Amino acid sequence: MTAKLRETTVHLLGLHESLPYDLLLLADPSREMVDCYVHASDVFVARQNSATVGVIVLQAIAPETVEIKNVAVREELQGHGIGSRLIEHVIQNVVRHKHKRICIGTANSSIGQLYLYQKLGFEISEIRWNYFTNNYAEPIVENGIQAKHMVVLSRLL
Ligand code: ACO
């Protein structure tokens, strides 16, 4: 475990604390879309000392299912295990006793994220066809591929 990861703690964001939009917009470029789900979700932040370095947003979408609506880590700290720590933390400490399934959606073009979520035990369970082309005003291109569809991956708890 790196020193950066050892220093990282995870907290539920209080109702009166400001939302870390800089991080939320890294995972979801539309402020309008973020605002549609963030106020009806639980927001957890990863902190190093007092600095916020990551965020994860959870929303119950069915009695047995919770969705990770947004997960992001400050750019210069990516690749040190903080994103995996956030996901495992909410699974083990928050959702495992309340829900039977956790899911996460990402774009067909998000190759690194598709790799990471499968490495963490998520399996592809649904495709939301044309989700990004229908819901986002500007085209999103990653890895030279246009983000058109949402790939939903699920993990049983
Ligand atoms: N490109 C390449 N590889 C990636 C990427 C990427 N964009 N994202 C994750 N990975 C892979 C790495 O190769 C690494 O693999 P390894 O462990 O075998 O070396 C692993 O995933 C990294 O794991 P962590 O260090 O635990 O992840 P990190 O702390 O970087 O957090 C996250 C992952 C949240 C995806 C972060 O990279 C990030 O903030 N990216 C920008 C925002 C984003 O795309 N968020 C997810 C959108 S989907 C949604 O929010 C529901």
Side-chain angles (χ1 to χ4, degrees), residues 26-27 68-73 78-84 104-106 112-113 115-117 119:
L26 278 181
I68 299 174
K69 303 293 289 186
N70 189 305
V71 56
V73 171
Q78 290 173 8
H80 292 278
I82 298 170
S84 304
I104 186 163
T106 195
Q113 292 82 341
Y115 158 76
L116 174 62
Y117 305 148
K119 209 172 74 159

PDB file of all heavy atoms in Angstrom, residues 26-27 68-73 78-84 104-106 112-113 115-117 119, ligand 1:
ATOM      1  N   LEU A  26     -15.444  15.704 -13.200  1.00  0.00           N
ATOM      2  CA  LEU A  26     -14.434  14.853 -13.858  1.00  0.00           C
ATOM      3  C   LEU A  26     -15.088  13.563 -14.360  1.00  0.00           C
ATOM      4  O   LEU A  26     -14.735  13.039 -15.415  1.00  0.00           O
ATOM      5  CB  LEU A  26     -13.349  14.428 -12.858  1.00  0.00           C
ATOM      6  CG  LEU A  26     -12.205  15.346 -12.510  1.00  0.00           C
ATOM      7  CD1 LEU A  26     -11.280  14.641 -11.523  1.00  0.00           C
ATOM      8  CD2 LEU A  26     -11.436  15.724 -13.769  1.00  0.00           C
ATOM      9  N   ALA A  27     -16.043  13.057 -13.578  1.00  0.00           N
ATOM     10  CA  ALA A  27     -16.701  11.791 -13.939  1.00  0.00           C
ATOM     11  C   ALA A  27     -17.898  12.012 -14.845  1.00  0.00           C
ATOM     12  O   ALA A  27     -18.296  11.116 -15.580  1.00  0.00           O
ATOM     13  CB  ALA A  27     -17.145  11.056 -12.672  1.00  0.00           C
ATOM     14  N   ILE A  68     -23.825   3.333  -8.118  1.00  0.00           N
ATOM     15  CA  ILE A  68     -22.763   4.348  -7.997  1.00  0.00           C
ATOM     16  C   ILE A  68     -22.997   5.307  -9.164  1.00  0.00           C
ATOM     17  O   ILE A  68     -22.792   4.952 -10.328  1.00  0.00           O
ATOM     18  CB  ILE A  68     -21.356   3.717  -8.076  1.00  0.00           C
ATOM     19  CG1 ILE A  68     -21.147   2.710  -6.946  1.00  0.00           C
ATOM     20  CG2 ILE A  68     -20.286   4.824  -8.053  1.00  0.00           C
ATOM     21  CD1 ILE A  68     -19.838   1.925  -7.037  1.00  0.00           C
ATOM     22  N   LYS A  69     -23.467   6.512  -8.854  1.00  0.00           N
ATOM     23  CA  LYS A  69     -23.800   7.467  -9.912  1.00  0.00           C
ATOM     24  C   LYS A  69     -22.572   8.222 -10.387  1.00  0.00           C
ATOM     25  O   LYS A  69     -22.551   8.762 -11.496  1.00  0.00           O
ATOM     26  CB  LYS A  69     -24.824   8.493  -9.399  1.00  0.00           C
ATOM     27  CG  LYS A  69     -26.106   7.910  -8.860  1.00  0.00           C
ATOM     28  CD  LYS A  69     -26.954   7.243  -9.896  1.00  0.00           C
ATOM     29  CE  LYS A  69     -27.613   8.193 -10.860  1.00  0.00           C
ATOM     30  NZ  LYS A  69     -28.538   7.466 -11.767  1.00  0.00           N
ATOM     31  N   ASN A  70     -21.549   8.312  -9.518  1.00  0.00           N
ATOM     32  CA  ASN A  70     -20.383   9.135  -9.849  1.00  0.00           C
ATOM     33  C   ASN A  70     -19.233   8.683  -8.954  1.00  0.00           C
ATOM     34  O   ASN A  70     -19.442   8.450  -7.763  1.00  0.00           O
ATOM     35  CB  ASN A  70     -20.733  10.604  -9.573  1.00  0.00           C
ATOM     36  CG  ASN A  70     -19.697  11.594 -10.065  1.00  0.00           C
ATOM     37  OD1 ASN A  70     -18.528  11.493  -9.707  1.00  0.00           O
ATOM     38  ND2 ASN A  70     -20.123  12.556 -10.858  1.00  0.00           N
ATOM     39  N   VAL A  71     -18.064   8.509  -9.531  1.00  0.00           N
ATOM     40  CA  VAL A  71     -16.863   8.254  -8.724  1.00  0.00           C
ATOM     41  C   VAL A  71     -15.700   8.975  -9.409  1.00  0.00           C
ATOM     42  O   VAL A  71     -15.551   8.904 -10.627  1.00  0.00           O
ATOM     43  CB  VAL A  71     -16.594   6.735  -8.518  1.00  0.00           C
ATOM     44  CG1 VAL A  71     -16.471   5.963  -9.818  1.00  0.00           C
ATOM     45  CG2 VAL A  71     -15.362   6.511  -7.645  1.00  0.00           C
ATOM     46  N   ALA A  72     -14.923   9.702  -8.632  1.00  0.00           N
ATOM     47  CA  ALA A  72     -13.814  10.453  -9.225  1.00  0.00           C
ATOM     48  C   ALA A  72     -12.714  10.686  -8.197  1.00  0.00           C
ATOM     49  O   ALA A  72     -12.976  10.791  -6.997  1.00  0.00           O
ATOM     50  CB  ALA A  72     -14.302  11.798  -9.762  1.00  0.00           C
ATOM     51  N   VAL A  73     -11.502  10.754  -8.717  1.00  0.00           N
ATOM     52  CA  VAL A  73     -10.306  10.999  -7.894  1.00  0.00           C
ATOM     53  C   VAL A  73      -9.540  12.151  -8.547  1.00  0.00           C
ATOM     54  O   VAL A  73      -9.469  12.240  -9.785  1.00  0.00           O
ATOM     55  CB  VAL A  73      -9.430   9.718  -7.837  1.00  0.00           C
ATOM     56  CG1 VAL A  73      -8.078   9.992  -7.194  1.00  0.00           C
ATOM     57  CG2 VAL A  73     -10.170   8.606  -7.097  1.00  0.00           C
ATOM     58  N   GLN A  78      -4.687   9.958  -9.312  1.00  0.00           N
ATOM     59  CA  GLN A  78      -5.274   8.744  -9.893  1.00  0.00           C
ATOM     60  C   GLN A  78      -4.210   7.657 -10.031  1.00  0.00           C
ATOM     61  O   GLN A  78      -3.027   7.947 -10.184  1.00  0.00           O
ATOM     62  CB  GLN A  78      -5.882   9.060 -11.272  1.00  0.00           C
ATOM     63  CG  GLN A  78      -7.136   9.920 -11.151  1.00  0.00           C
ATOM     64  CD  GLN A  78      -7.682  10.399 -12.488  1.00  0.00           C
ATOM     65  OE1 GLN A  78      -7.234   9.983 -13.550  1.00  0.00           O
ATOM     66  NE2 GLN A  78      -8.661  11.293 -12.436  1.00  0.00           N
ATOM     67  N   GLY A  79      -4.655   6.407  -9.969  1.00  0.00           N
ATOM     68  CA  GLY A  79      -3.736   5.283 -10.150  1.00  0.00           C
ATOM     69  C   GLY A  79      -3.017   4.857  -8.884  1.00  0.00           C
ATOM     70  O   GLY A  79      -2.117   4.026  -8.934  1.00  0.00           O
ATOM     71  N   HIS A  80      -3.435   5.409  -7.733  1.00  0.00           N
ATOM     72  CA  HIS A  80      -2.815   5.019  -6.453  1.00  0.00           C
ATOM     73  C   HIS A  80      -3.754   4.189  -5.593  1.00  0.00           C
ATOM     74  O   HIS A  80      -3.514   4.016  -4.395  1.00  0.00           O
ATOM     75  CB  HIS A  80      -2.386   6.266  -5.666  1.00  0.00           C
ATOM     76  CG  HIS A  80      -1.253   7.003  -6.298  1.00  0.00           C
ATOM     77  ND1 HIS A  80       0.063   6.629  -6.136  1.00  0.00           N
ATOM     78  CD2 HIS A  80      -1.238   8.072  -7.124  1.00  0.00           C
ATOM     79  CE1 HIS A  80       0.836   7.451  -6.824  1.00  0.00           C
ATOM     80  NE2 HIS A  80       0.070   8.338  -7.437  1.00  0.00           N
ATOM     81  N   GLY A  81      -4.868   3.747  -6.155  1.00  0.00           N
ATOM     82  CA  GLY A  81      -5.778   2.878  -5.391  1.00  0.00           C
ATOM     83  C   GLY A  81      -6.897   3.611  -4.665  1.00  0.00           C
ATOM     84  O   GLY A  81      -7.690   2.978  -3.966  1.00  0.00           O
ATOM     85  N   ILE A  82      -6.990   4.927  -4.821  1.00  0.00           N
ATOM     86  CA  ILE A  82      -8.013   5.678  -4.069  1.00  0.00           C
ATOM     87  C   ILE A  82      -9.424   5.361  -4.596  1.00  0.00           C
ATOM     88  O   ILE A  82     -10.357   5.163  -3.816  1.00  0.00           O
ATOM     89  CB  ILE A  82      -7.725   7.198  -4.106  1.00  0.00           C
ATOM     90  CG1 ILE A  82      -6.377   7.481  -3.437  1.00  0.00           C
ATOM     91  CG2 ILE A  82      -8.849   7.992  -3.425  1.00  0.00           C
ATOM     92  CD1 ILE A  82      -5.864   8.899  -3.628  1.00  0.00           C
ATOM     93  N   GLY A  83      -9.573   5.264  -5.923  1.00  0.00           N
ATOM     94  CA  GLY A  83     -10.874   4.933  -6.503  1.00  0.00           C
ATOM     95  C   GLY A  83     -11.331   3.550  -6.034  1.00  0.00           C
ATOM     96  O   GLY A  83     -12.479   3.368  -5.623  1.00  0.00           O
ATOM     97  N   SER A  84     -10.425   2.569  -6.066  1.00  0.00           N
ATOM     98  CA  SER A  84     -10.774   1.212  -5.599  1.00  0.00           C
ATOM     99  C   SER A  84     -11.123   1.255  -4.120  1.00  0.00           C
ATOM    100  O   SER A  84     -12.074   0.591  -3.683  1.00  0.00           O
ATOM    101  CB  SER A  84      -9.595   0.250  -5.796  1.00  0.00           C
ATOM    102  OG  SER A  84      -9.199   0.241  -7.135  1.00  0.00           O
ATOM    103  N   ILE A 104     -22.974   0.092 -11.536  1.00  0.00           N
ATOM    104  CA  ILE A 104     -22.265   1.308 -11.948  1.00  0.00           C
ATOM    105  C   ILE A 104     -22.340   1.382 -13.469  1.00  0.00           C
ATOM    106  O   ILE A 104     -22.215   0.366 -14.148  1.00  0.00           O
ATOM    107  CB  ILE A 104     -20.804   1.280 -11.432  1.00  0.00           C
ATOM    108  CG1 ILE A 104     -20.105   2.609 -11.723  1.00  0.00           C
ATOM    109  CG2 ILE A 104     -19.998   0.105 -11.989  1.00  0.00           C
ATOM    110  CD1 ILE A 104     -18.836   2.813 -10.893  1.00  0.00           C
ATOM    111  N   GLY A 105     -22.577   2.568 -13.981  1.00  0.00           N
ATOM    112  CA  GLY A 105     -22.666   2.718 -15.432  1.00  0.00           C
ATOM    113  C   GLY A 105     -21.513   3.555 -15.941  1.00  0.00           C
ATOM    114  O   GLY A 105     -21.125   4.539 -15.303  1.00  0.00           O
ATOM    115  N   THR A 106     -20.972   3.155 -17.072  1.00  0.00           N
ATOM    116  CA  THR A 106     -19.913   3.946 -17.680  1.00  0.00           C
ATOM    117  C   THR A 106     -20.055   3.881 -19.195  1.00  0.00           C
ATOM    118  O   THR A 106     -20.842   3.088 -19.716  1.00  0.00           O
ATOM    119  CB  THR A 106     -18.521   3.463 -17.187  1.00  0.00           C
ATOM    120  OG1 THR A 106     -17.555   4.441 -17.513  1.00  0.00           O
ATOM    121  CG2 THR A 106     -18.117   2.126 -17.764  1.00  0.00           C
ATOM    122  N   GLY A 112     -10.500   2.251 -19.509  1.00  0.00           N
ATOM    123  CA  GLY A 112      -9.849   2.054 -18.206  1.00  0.00           C
ATOM    124  C   GLY A 112     -10.862   1.782 -17.111  1.00  0.00           C
ATOM    125  O   GLY A 112     -10.653   0.931 -16.236  1.00  0.00           O
ATOM    126  N   GLN A 113     -11.985   2.483 -17.143  1.00  0.00           N
ATOM    127  CA  GLN A 113     -13.016   2.305 -16.125  1.00  0.00           C
ATOM    128  C   GLN A 113     -13.667   0.916 -16.274  1.00  0.00           C
ATOM    129  O   GLN A 113     -13.919   0.238 -15.272  1.00  0.00           O
ATOM    130  CB  GLN A 113     -14.074   3.408 -16.244  1.00  0.00           C
ATOM    131  CG  GLN A 113     -13.576   4.793 -15.875  1.00  0.00           C
ATOM    132  CD  GLN A 113     -12.821   5.502 -17.000  1.00  0.00           C
ATOM    133  OE1 GLN A 113     -12.343   4.894 -17.947  1.00  0.00           O
ATOM    134  NE2 GLN A 113     -12.708   6.805 -16.895  1.00  0.00           N
ATOM    135  N   TYR A 115     -12.273  -1.707 -17.373  1.00  0.00           N
ATOM    136  CA  TYR A 115     -11.273  -2.643 -16.840  1.00  0.00           C
ATOM    137  C   TYR A 115     -11.309  -2.643 -15.309  1.00  0.00           C
ATOM    138  O   TYR A 115     -11.379  -3.699 -14.668  1.00  0.00           O
ATOM    139  CB  TYR A 115      -9.898  -2.222 -17.378  1.00  0.00           C
ATOM    140  CG  TYR A 115      -8.719  -2.708 -16.573  1.00  0.00           C
ATOM    141  CD1 TYR A 115      -8.296  -4.038 -16.647  1.00  0.00           C
ATOM    142  CD2 TYR A 115      -8.019  -1.840 -15.727  1.00  0.00           C
ATOM    143  CE1 TYR A 115      -7.207  -4.478 -15.906  1.00  0.00           C
ATOM    144  CE2 TYR A 115      -6.934  -2.276 -14.990  1.00  0.00           C
ATOM    145  CZ  TYR A 115      -6.532  -3.600 -15.083  1.00  0.00           C
ATOM    146  OH  TYR A 115      -5.476  -4.028 -14.349  1.00  0.00           O
ATOM    147  N   LEU A 116     -11.299  -1.439 -14.725  1.00  0.00           N
ATOM    148  CA  LEU A 116     -11.247  -1.331 -13.262  1.00  0.00           C
ATOM    149  C   LEU A 116     -12.473  -1.979 -12.612  1.00  0.00           C
ATOM    150  O   LEU A 116     -12.346  -2.751 -11.655  1.00  0.00           O
ATOM    151  CB  LEU A 116     -11.155   0.149 -12.865  1.00  0.00           C
ATOM    152  CG  LEU A 116     -11.240   0.460 -11.370  1.00  0.00           C
ATOM    153  CD1 LEU A 116     -10.074  -0.182 -10.617  1.00  0.00           C
ATOM    154  CD2 LEU A 116     -11.232   1.973 -11.127  1.00  0.00           C
ATOM    155  N   TYR A 117     -13.658  -1.672 -13.116  1.00  0.00           N
ATOM    156  CA  TYR A 117     -14.868  -2.182 -12.462  1.00  0.00           C
ATOM    157  C   TYR A 117     -14.939  -3.715 -12.567  1.00  0.00           C
ATOM    158  O   TYR A 117     -15.356  -4.382 -11.618  1.00  0.00           O
ATOM    159  CB  TYR A 117     -16.133  -1.532 -13.043  1.00  0.00           C
ATOM    160  CG  TYR A 117     -16.101  -0.006 -13.001  1.00  0.00           C
ATOM    161  CD1 TYR A 117     -16.726   0.764 -13.968  1.00  0.00           C
ATOM    162  CD2 TYR A 117     -15.413   0.663 -11.990  1.00  0.00           C
ATOM    163  CE1 TYR A 117     -16.677   2.162 -13.933  1.00  0.00           C
ATOM    164  CE2 TYR A 117     -15.349   2.053 -11.951  1.00  0.00           C
ATOM    165  CZ  TYR A 117     -15.981   2.786 -12.933  1.00  0.00           C
ATOM    166  OH  TYR A 117     -15.919   4.159 -12.894  1.00  0.00           O
ATOM    167  N   LYS A 119     -12.340  -5.655 -12.740  1.00  0.00           N
ATOM    168  CA  LYS A 119     -11.312  -6.146 -11.809  1.00  0.00           C
ATOM    169  C   LYS A 119     -11.848  -6.157 -10.377  1.00  0.00           C
ATOM    170  O   LYS A 119     -11.465  -6.982  -9.558  1.00  0.00           O
ATOM    171  CB  LYS A 119     -10.077  -5.231 -11.910  1.00  0.00           C
ATOM    172  CG  LYS A 119      -8.788  -5.946 -11.601  1.00  0.00           C
ATOM    173  CD  LYS A 119      -7.581  -5.091 -11.898  1.00  0.00           C
ATOM    174  CE  LYS A 119      -7.407  -4.013 -10.855  1.00  0.00           C
ATOM    175  NZ  LYS A 119      -6.051  -3.467 -10.793  1.00  0.00           N
TER     176      LYS A 119
HETATM  177  N1  ACO B   1      -7.451   4.946 -18.042  1.00  0.00           N
HETATM  178  C1  ACO B   1      -6.630   3.876 -17.857  1.00  0.00           C
HETATM  179  N2  ACO B   1      -6.680   3.066 -16.788  1.00  0.00           N
HETATM  180  C2  ACO B   1      -7.583   3.354 -15.841  1.00  0.00           C
HETATM  181  C3  ACO B   1      -8.461   4.454 -15.946  1.00  0.00           C
HETATM  182  C4  ACO B   1      -8.379   5.271 -17.106  1.00  0.00           C
HETATM  183  N3  ACO B   1      -9.159   6.320 -17.322  1.00  0.00           N
HETATM  184  N4  ACO B   1      -9.244   4.465 -14.872  1.00  0.00           N
HETATM  185  C5  ACO B   1      -8.876   3.417 -14.108  1.00  0.00           C
HETATM  186  N5  ACO B   1      -7.861   2.735 -14.712  1.00  0.00           N
HETATM  187  C6  ACO B   1      -7.206   1.510 -14.228  1.00  0.00           C
HETATM  188  C7  ACO B   1      -5.716   1.706 -14.013  1.00  0.00           C
HETATM  189  O1  ACO B   1      -5.014   1.179 -15.108  1.00  0.00           O
HETATM  190  C8  ACO B   1      -5.419   0.908 -12.743  1.00  0.00           C
HETATM  191  O2  ACO B   1      -5.152  -0.432 -13.016  1.00  0.00           O
HETATM  192  P1  ACO B   1      -4.080  -1.292 -12.133  1.00  0.00           P
HETATM  193  O3  ACO B   1      -4.570  -1.231 -10.694  1.00  0.00           O
HETATM  194  O4  ACO B   1      -4.137  -2.663 -12.703  1.00  0.00           O
HETATM  195  O5  ACO B   1      -2.781  -0.584 -12.306  1.00  0.00           O
HETATM  196  C9  ACO B   1      -6.723   0.984 -12.017  1.00  0.00           C
HETATM  197  O6  ACO B   1      -7.753   1.211 -12.971  1.00  0.00           O
HETATM  198  C10 ACO B   1      -6.668   2.192 -11.079  1.00  0.00           C
HETATM  199  O7  ACO B   1      -7.276   1.845  -9.928  1.00  0.00           O
HETATM  200  P2  ACO B   1      -7.302   2.941  -8.781  1.00  0.00           P
HETATM  201  O8  ACO B   1      -5.952   3.529  -8.586  1.00  0.00           O
HETATM  202  O9  ACO B   1      -7.990   2.329  -7.627  1.00  0.00           O
HETATM  203  O10 ACO B   1      -8.261   4.022  -9.446  1.00  0.00           O
HETATM  204  P3  ACO B   1      -8.204   5.617  -9.312  1.00  0.00           P
HETATM  205  O11 ACO B   1      -7.864   6.038  -7.947  1.00  0.00           O
HETATM  206  O12 ACO B   1      -7.441   6.184 -10.437  1.00  0.00           O
HETATM  207  O13 ACO B   1      -9.772   5.916  -9.538  1.00  0.00           O
HETATM  208  C11 ACO B   1     -11.255   6.564 -11.281  1.00  0.00           C
HETATM  209  C12 ACO B   1     -10.424   5.410 -10.690  1.00  0.00           C
HETATM  210  C13 ACO B   1     -12.292   6.989 -10.261  1.00  0.00           C
HETATM  211  C14 ACO B   1     -11.969   6.026 -12.540  1.00  0.00           C
HETATM  212  C15 ACO B   1     -10.296   7.746 -11.610  1.00  0.00           C
HETATM  213  O14 ACO B   1      -9.336   7.323 -12.529  1.00  0.00           O
HETATM  214  C16 ACO B   1     -10.997   8.992 -12.130  1.00  0.00           C
HETATM  215  O15 ACO B   1     -11.386   9.848 -11.358  1.00  0.00           O
HETATM  216  N6  ACO B   1     -11.155   9.109 -13.467  1.00  0.00           N
HETATM  217  C17 ACO B   1     -11.820  10.297 -14.049  1.00  0.00           C
HETATM  218  C18 ACO B   1     -13.298  10.321 -13.712  1.00  0.00           C
HETATM  219  C19 ACO B   1     -14.007   9.058 -14.170  1.00  0.00           C
HETATM  220  O16 ACO B   1     -13.846   8.597 -15.299  1.00  0.00           O
HETATM  221  N7  ACO B   1     -14.845   8.494 -13.269  1.00  0.00           N
HETATM  222  C20 ACO B   1     -15.661   7.306 -13.549  1.00  0.00           C
HETATM  223  C21 ACO B   1     -16.791   7.618 -14.470  1.00  0.00           C
HETATM  224  S1  ACO B   1     -18.124   6.400 -14.386  1.00  0.00           S
HETATM  225  C22 ACO B   1     -19.029   6.915 -13.031  1.00  0.00           C
HETATM  226  O17 ACO B   1     -18.711   7.901 -12.419  1.00  0.00           O
HETATM  227  C23 ACO B   1     -20.190   6.091 -12.600  1.00  0.00           C
END
